Amino acid sequence: PFRLDRINLNDRKKTATQIETRRDVSLSLGFYSGALVALDSIKKLGISVDVKTLDTELNQTKVKEILSRESLLGVNAIIGPVSSTALNEVAVQAAPKNIPVISPIASNSSYSHGNVFFSVPTDEVLRLKMLSYLEKTYTDQNIIIIADSTHQVAKDSIMAKFPSAQIAKINDNKSLHLNRFLVKLSETKENWVFVETNQPNMVASVSSILNSTNADKTVVRMFTTNFNNAFESDVVSNTHLSNLKFAYPSFYREIKEDAFTKAYRKKYNDLKPDRYAVRGFDVTFDILLKLAHKNNLFETSKIIGLTEYTGNSFNYFNNLSSGYYNRASYLMEYDGLRIKEIQLNDL
């Protein structure tokens, strides 16, 4: 949704404010800006693409109007919409014509659609990535789990992998019961502390406590199996996260200067691409390359495995009638106030 129904492009200042404050608009525009670079890149490879861009206006009635007006004859793929309800409507209309629909930011849906490609891996895939790696590198570390009531699945999953893990008590105000926690720390073993929450204040409080205990005798590392906005909140100290070598699973990695970033800067007056722009390029370029290989995304997904681009990777598997799911992901860690991808044997 570009929300052109609500944005007055003649008022530049107001338009800029709306773009900055409306997450749906900033996400869509970022994604679209990266997708345009993907179209430029695919054209340089000699591949011709006929593209039509439509604004859903974040309105279900508008989506239905577009679908009744636009002919889907000859369409090879549809990227979007962002909204799950709108995506469901598009998927239903596209299914009889065997048209794949790519979900830009969702990892799953409450609806079953055999023609939807979910480009973001599920929480389960990300959690398993983290736990499987730690299980392989485990050498009798002292493991403590700090999880709020909304992350029971994560707590159970960690306990299944590490049955000897200790559970730290959380107070009613989502804070750590300090005295009970401190006695769980080991001075002879490295402490692996899992923090499972989506509360920024809890992340800030716990990471501050862990940082203060991380001394010569007591070595502490912090992990999560569910990286969310809470860990990126302004109230959370990146210094603390770096000191704790905080590690987490992610569907995207930090970008480096490459052909895409150079092309993006050139196209948009030296503007640095944000996470959504990178995703727009990666998702679009991946789909276009696969369609160029074989003009049928369902068939191509059977023969092409892992693909990797600037900040995202894709490895779709077909879960029968419920769609195609991306199981490619990364492990990231804070190190010296920088975020880097964890390579084998880094832990």
Side-chain angles (χ1 to χ4, degrees), residues 48-328:
S48 177
V49 185
D50 182 16
V51 179
K52 178 173 280 191
T53 305
L54 301 161
D55 180 15
T56 65
E57 298 178 2
L58 203 65
N59 186 309
Q60 193 70 356
T61 302
K62 181 70 175 180
V63 173
K64 292 180 179 179
E65 177 194 318
I66 290 171
L67 290 169
S68 65
R69 184 183 72 232
E70 297 291 331
S71 171
L72 297 181
L73 187 66
V75 173
N76 300 108
I78 299 172
I79 299 178
V82 169
S83 162
S84 59
T85 53
L87 186 82
N88 175 59
E89 186 70 33
V90 172
V92 168
Q93 297 287 341
K97 299 174 178 62
N98 205 34
I99 300 171
V101 178
I102 296 86
S103 174
I105 60 170
S107 58
N108 53 32
S109 171
S110 56
Y111 307 99
S112 293
H113 297 296
N115 62 326
V116 175
F117 285 72
F118 295 99
S119 62
V120 175
T122 63
D123 289 344
E124 183 182 3
V125 166
L126 295 171
R127 185 165 55 244
L128 184 60
K129 176 92 170 184
M130 182 90 265
L131 293 178
S132 296
Y133 190 76
L134 289 178
E135 186 180 34
K136 292 176 183 176
T137 57
Y138 177 70
T139 54
D140 197 33
Q141 285 83 355
N142 181 46
I143 297 178
I144 304 171
I145 304 170
I146 304 172
D148 62 28
S149 58
T150 63
H151 288 73
Q152 186 65 41
V153 173
K155 184 168 76 171
D156 291 345
S157 299
I158 298 168
M159 287 297 298
K161 290 287 186 183
F162 304 104
S164 62
Q166 303 178 77
I167 307 297
K169 294 290 184 181
I170 302 296
N171 294 326
D172 293 337
N173 61 356
K174 300 284 187 180
S175 63
L176 194 62
H177 198 295
L178 187 57
N179 291 335
R180 292 182 185 177
F181 170 73
L182 292 177
V183 297
K184 296 181 184 296
L185 291 172
S186 172
E187 292 186 356
T188 58
K189 300 179 182 179
E190 184 176 72
N191 297 277
W192 285 2
V193 181
F194 287 88
V195 181
E196 307 295 333
T197 182
N198 56 4
Q199 301 294 322
N201 289 335
M202 182 172 165
V203 175
S205 173
V206 170
S207 59
S208 176
I209 292 170
L210 296 180
N211 181 68
S212 66
T213 60
N214 192 24
D216 292 336
K217 288 186 177 181
T218 307
V219 180
V220 182
R221 285 211 60 186
M222 177 173 154
F223 302 91
T224 189
T225 65
N226 180 250
F227 185 72
N228 55 65
N229 292 337
F231 294 91
E232 297 182 288
S233 171
D234 291 338
V235 301
V236 179
S237 168
N238 287 335
T239 301
H240 292 168
L241 296 181
S242 291
N243 291 342
L244 296 165
K245 291 190 175 180
F246 173 54
Y248 59 92
S250 175
F251 64 86
Y252 62 89
R253 60 183 175 181
E254 297 299 302
I255 66 170
K256 299 177 181 178
E257 192 74 10
D258 64 358
F260 161 69
T261 55
K262 290 177 182 176
Y264 192 92
R265 288 179 182 276
K266 184 178 180 181
K267 188 177 184 70
Y268 298 109
N269 298 318
D270 208 34
L271 181 68
K272 182 181 178 181
D274 63 11
R275 184 183 304 170
Y276 302 128
V278 173
R279 184 146 195 81
F281 174 83
D282 289 352
V283 170
T284 306
F285 198 59
D286 180 63
I287 297 301
L288 293 175
L289 280 179
K290 286 173 178 174
L291 287 174
H293 177 74
K294 191 171 186 178
N295 209 8
N296 184 312
L297 200 58
F298 302 112
E299 292 298 320
T300 306
S301 66
K302 296 177 183 178
I303 55 178
I304 294 182
L306 179 66
T307 53
E308 191 169 42
Y309 304 95
T310 297
N312 301 267
S313 53
F314 308 96
N315 188 12
Y316 292 103
F317 73 97
N318 184 10
N319 190 6
L320 301 177
S321 62
S322 61
Y324 292 75
Y325 293 85
N326 183 16
R327 54 188 171 190

